[in-house]
Amino acid sequence: CYTGMGGSALVLYTNAEIELLKLCAWCRDLPAGSTFLNKENLRALTAAGQLRISRNAQSVRITESGKHTLDTLGLHFDYDSKSRGMGNYLIRRLNTANLMLFFFGGKTDVFCSSVPDRNSPLSFLPSFALRREKNKNPLGTARFNGMLYTKNTARAVYYITEENDGLYPEAERNTFTMNILTGGRKSAAAFTGDKSLEKIIEYSARKTTNSRALPVLNAVRRLDCPVTFFPLSQAGARQMRIISVRDHRRIIAESILKAKYKPPEKNYYDTEEKILIGIDMDIPRMETAAEYGVHIFLLDWQVNAVKEILRGKRAVLHPLTTETAEEILRLPSELYVKETKPYITEKGEFLSAPV
């Protein structure tokens, strides 16, 4: 706090608070119970009248005052005129927002409204950004929640819940592999939706409707592209950071084998020695390798889930600690950096509000 010209106490907004305000405007609803929602920033913004909790207490929404704040900063968003009741539409919106909060905490750019160029930082393009464009909807009936972009990979990300309708694999693949969505990158798919990896796989193995869609795990085997399963947790954030490192499999395999390392002859192995680096949790790839015999290196918390999937197959599982994998790839130990700097406008002024 500091004292304004009239003697009244003022609070300065931080960069992190303005970013959260922007995210709420962008998503329209943020899940109030999300573990990735910074409660300190939320309290500050609700106390300042910038954000509010919805009537059903399930979501966080921006107020007229919050919209005015963003407008004065030259940040303009399309807003909902009214709150929505809890139904499939709001549930999907909150799931996508929870996913975006997860990526947001890891410094991913979640404000993409179009496919980023190849030199952009790690970016997430939510499906709603494409569906909101008038007279344009390249997604059709595709069920992914957004696209996660690295320099070389475009991943369709799916939020899988206990109640899911399954997938039509050909329709999904035909959509997320379109060049207008990949920007020339390699296509891939990722599946998440719970803090437990085992739960995500359990949900993926079944569907709760009578549609002709396949259960997600069956559909995944027909996507013909690299696949990732990751939990919505700090462990999952570290996993995603590891697999975002270019050539992470080769680097880790070389570190394990040292001078004995030789490139693989089959694409379901990562070395000639029948070793597979499975940190990405590419289940179909692991299943194929296990038909012929394989040593799979995983993060230690992934082993139990993979053990169930490959039970009875010819696979030996080897745990690596997350710290070891990060050291091999020379990643910093800090995952999140707390942002406390005050927000400064383009004119070089601090942004403040009365306490």
Side-chain angles (χ1 to χ4, degrees):
C1 290
Y2 77 100
T3 304
M5 290 176 67
S8 58
L10 297 174
V11 62
L12 294 176
Y13 288 121
T14 64
N15 280 329
E17 288 163 357
I18 295 300
E19 288 295 302
L20 181 58
L21 192 62
K22 281 170 54 183
L23 186 62
C24 193
W26 182 221
C27 295
R28 298 181 179 173
D29 288 271
L30 296 178
S34 173
T35 55
F36 308 111
L37 184 59
N38 186 297
K39 302 303 186 288
E40 191 179 324
N41 294 337
L42 176 61
R43 275 193 298 271
L45 290 168
T46 50
Q50 304 287 298
L51 295 178
R52 66 177 178 84
I53 305 297
S54 66
R55 287 177 194 159
N56 61 21
Q58 298 300 306
S59 68
V60 178
R61 292 178 62 82
I62 194 165
T63 63
E64 289 299 324
S65 178
K67 294 174 190 176
H68 178 72
T69 297
L70 293 179
D71 283 341
T72 59
L73 295 172
L75 303 168
H76 306 294
F77 294 89
D78 292 326
Y79 300 104
D80 258 358
S81 57
K82 60 181 180 180
S83 300
R84 293 179 179 270
M86 281 307 286
N88 289 339
Y89 187 92
L90 182 58
I91 289 169
R92 180 177 171 83
R93 177 185 284 183
L94 292 176
N95 288 344
T96 300
N98 195 38
L99 188 59
M100 291 170 73
L101 280 165
F102 170 81
F103 289 133
F104 179 69
K107 300 303 178 190
T108 300
D109 177 7
V110 295
F111 296 103
C112 288
S113 56
S114 60
V115 177
D117 66 47
R118 298 284 289 271
N119 294 318
S120 298
L122 189 63
S123 308
F124 181 76
L125 172 62
S127 293
F128 66 67
L130 297 166
R131 295 187 191 280
R132 284 177 190 173
E133 288 188 49
K134 289 182 180 177
N135 305 318
K136 278 186 183 179
N137 182 10
L139 304 187
T141 58
R143 295 177 179 175
F144 54 88
N145 296 71
M147 299 289 295
L148 182 68
Y149 297 96
T150 61
K151 185 173 183 178
N152 299 296
T153 306
R155 279 190 181 85
V157 186
Y158 294 81
Y159 197 105
I160 307 299
T161 61
E162 189 169 8
E163 295 184 4
N164 72 82
D165 298 330
L167 293 176
Y168 294 96
E170 288 78 15
E172 296 294 325
R173 185 182 65 239
N174 290 343
T175 303
F176 69 67
T177 58
M178 291 189 300
N179 196 55
I180 58 168
L181 287 181
T182 64
R185 299 168 177 84
K186 292 179 181 176
S187 297
F191 299 84
T192 189
D194 195 275
K195 64 182 179 182
S196 160
L197 180 61
E198 287 85 350
K199 280 273 170 57
I200 297 163
I201 294 170
E202 179 190 326
Y203 299 159
S204 298
R206 62 172 191 261
K207 59 176 185 168
T208 54
T209 62
N210 293 321
S211 73
R212 293 181 181 178
L214 298 177
V216 171
L217 207 50
N218 290 358
V220 159
R221 296 180 178 116
R222 297 191 185 188
L223 287 179
D224 279 337
C225 71
V227 170
T228 297
F229 283 79
F230 69 95
L232 288 176
S233 64
Q234 187 169 108
R238 289 188 178 278
Q239 173 196 357
M240 293 302 284
R241 187 173 67 159
I242 286 168
I243 70 168
S244 293
V245 174
R246 190 174 184 182
D247 294 331
H248 78 276
R249 289 177 181 155
R250 178 186 56 76
I251 295 167
I252 292 172
E254 283 182 349
S255 176
I256 292 166
L257 291 176
K258 299 186 169 55
K260 292 181 181 178
Y261 172 82
K262 289 182 181 176
E265 294 179 0
K266 304 288 185 181
N267 61 9
Y268 44 80
Y269 294 132
D270 290 311
T271 74
E272 191 183 71
E273 299 289 322
K274 292 190 175 182
I275 283 175
L276 184 153
I277 307 302
I279 295 171
D280 53 6
M281 283 297 299
D282 190 333
I283 292 172
R285 185 170 183 255
M286 288 192 278
E287 288 175 327
T288 300
E291 294 291 328
Y292 303 97
V294 64
H295 289 264
I296 302 177
F297 285 79
L298 301 153
L299 299 179
D300 47 16
W301 55 268
Q302 298 173 322
V303 170
N304 286 339
V306 174
K307 195 182 292 182
E308 286 302 310
I309 294 165
L310 299 182
R311 190 174 292 281
K313 300 280 182 72
R314 295 167 59 195
V316 180
L317 308 184
H318 303 268
L320 287 170
T321 66
T322 302
E323 292 74 20
T324 299
E326 288 174 339
E327 283 172 14
I328 292 170
L329 298 171
R330 298 183 179 178
L331 290 168
S333 57
E334 300 84 11
L335 183 60
Y336 302 124
V337 179
K338 190 174 180 182
E339 181 65 81
T340 57
K341 292 178 183 175
Y343 184 87
I344 301 175
T345 66
E346 288 184 357
K347 295 179 180 178
E349 299 168 346
F350 292 117
L351 192 64
S352 60
V355 178

